[in-house]
Amino acid sequence: MDTSRLDLNLLVTLEALLAERNVTRAAARLHLSQPAVSAQLARLRDLFDDPLLVPARRGMTPTAKAVELAGPLRAALDQLRTTLEARDFDPATADLTVTIACSDYIQAAVVMPLVVALRAQAPGVRVAVRHLMPDLIEQQLASGETDLVLTTPQPAQAHLRAQHLFAETYVLIGRRGHPRLRPGLSIEAYAELEHVIVSPSGGHFRTPVDEGLAALGHRRKVVMSAASFLFIPEIVAASDLVALVPRRLLRDPPARLVMIDVPWLAEGFDVSLIWHERTHGHAGQRWLRALIAEVAGAAPSAP
């Protein structure tokens, strides 16, 4: 290959094409037109004497040569970005796009205050939110499709780093004026209420809470299974249904709802910030991780 004909822009385009496997999405990622990216792909094919990406049923599939190039290319470009940006990163003037994968609950609990803070401190930083796909976390972080993941702790993986953000607890919500909802609710009275629960995978009417209740000799009446926590406050406010929701989901509960602590319920979960080793030293990413920890109320992590 004649390396004198290779420029940095072509390598950045190849990186985007290998990550997106689609010319239109790669063009959007690069802020270029589709014809411009197609032209650069043609140049890359000529330079490497290889098709690099071939048509597939959905998008494009990398050739063996492209797969061979992907890792070293990504590592080289990440190192270059880190070197260039470490010297002059300034939040007030930074031009940076970060992609965060998380659940809708985390969007409300963490991403919303994060975006508010960014508008004040770093107006040039853009946030793209992706749907959380737990089975693809490492793959998406490694490929650059996702920069940060906010989720429950994951099993330790060699190329992933993590910081604990907070421990979440549940609170019981119901409509104001509910005839059977009052502070000091017993576990027996709780079990007799009609409940709506969240089943992210869809359609299930049993959660770990029900396992805990069963161990204590109780069974609650679950009449609705929803796919999202964000829908729950509305349906509860308009009915006599009740629901356990993460406390941070309702930092400012609407007047139509009441929130009741359930101290006999030990269920809860931790939320962690996860990122890939490839972005660990990136100055902008370091600053952003610190800001996320700040808005989430976490203690600072080690550098």
Side-chain angles (χ1 to χ4, degrees):
M1 184 184 72
D2 182 3
T3 56
S4 65
R5 299 168 56 202
L6 188 62
D7 64 45
L8 182 59
N9 289 330
L10 286 178
L11 293 179
V12 172
T13 296
L14 179 56
E15 178 192 41
L17 284 166
L18 291 176
E20 298 293 347
R21 301 189 182 187
N22 180 284
V23 172
T24 301
R25 290 199 300 269
R29 177 170 173 164
L30 295 166
H31 307 294
L32 296 172
S33 68
Q34 183 175 335
V37 172
S38 295
Q40 291 187 350
L41 176 57
R43 288 180 60 192
L44 285 162
R45 285 168 167 165
D46 180 53
L47 285 168
F48 286 100
D49 192 26
D50 187 271
L52 297 176
L53 291 130
V54 296
R57 184 174 181 180
R58 293 183 178 180
M60 307 175 82
T61 298
T63 64
K65 179 68 173 179
V67 171
E68 180 183 300
L69 289 168
L73 173 65
R74 185 167 56 246
L77 290 176
D78 285 342
Q79 182 60 49
L80 179 60
R81 293 184 185 111
T82 298
T83 301
L84 293 175
E85 295 175 5
R87 298 176 301 174
D88 56 5
F89 180 78
D90 177 5
T93 60
D95 181 8
L96 178 67
T97 298
V98 61
T99 302
I100 300 174
C102 61
S103 67
D104 54 2
Y105 148 67
I106 293 294
Q107 290 179 46
V110 180
V111 177
M112 184 170 65
L114 170 66
V115 170
V116 172
L118 284 173
R119 302 322 301 154
Q121 301 181 40
V125 175
R126 304 188 304 171
V127 176
V129 179
R130 300 186 68 136
H131 181 65
L132 179 65
M133 303 179 70
D135 294 339
L136 298 179
I137 286 176
E138 184 174 19
Q139 176 184 324
Q140 292 182 339
L141 287 170
S143 69
E145 293 179 67
T146 299
D147 297 304
L148 299 167
V149 173
L150 289 158
T151 186
T152 52
Q154 300 292 306
Q157 298 182 31
H159 300 295
L160 298 185
R161 289 180 176 254
Q163 178 187 355
H164 177 266
L165 292 181
F166 56 87
E168 181 64 287
T169 57
Y170 286 102
V171 64
L172 183 66
I173 63 170
R175 71 171 178 86
R176 189 170 297 279
H178 191 296
R180 292 189 291 163
L181 201 57
R182 57 185 60 87
L185 191 73
S186 68
I187 190 170
E188 292 82 7
Y190 168 83
E192 291 174 357
L193 296 170
E194 293 188 325
H195 299 261
V196 53
I197 66 167
V198 170
S199 171
S201 57
H204 297 293
F205 287 85
R206 196 171 180 86
T207 73
V209 170
D210 297 282
E211 307 296 335
L213 287 171
L216 296 173
H218 298 283
R219 180 179 180 180
R220 63 178 176 172
K221 184 178 182 181
V222 178
V223 300
M224 180 178 178
S225 172
S228 167
F229 275 116
L230 300 187
F231 170 71
I232 299 295
E234 290 300 320
I235 187 64
V236 166
S239 69
D240 279 343
L241 298 177
V242 299
L244 286 173
V245 300
R247 189 176 298 272
R248 288 176 180 238
L249 184 66
L250 292 172
R251 287 176 172 172
D252 299 307
R256 296 182 298 161
L257 293 177
V258 293
M259 299 172 60
I260 296 178
D261 288 319
V262 282
W264 37 262
L265 180 67
E267 288 296 330
F269 58 93
D270 293 325
V271 173
S272 294
L273 174 63
I274 302 172
W275 64 97
H276 197 272
E277 186 67 33
R278 69 181 184 82
T279 61
H280 181 65
H282 186 285
Q285 294 280 345
R286 286 203 312 269
W287 178 85
L288 190 64
R289 292 195 298 267
L291 182 61
I292 289 173
E294 180 182 329
V295 301
S301 63

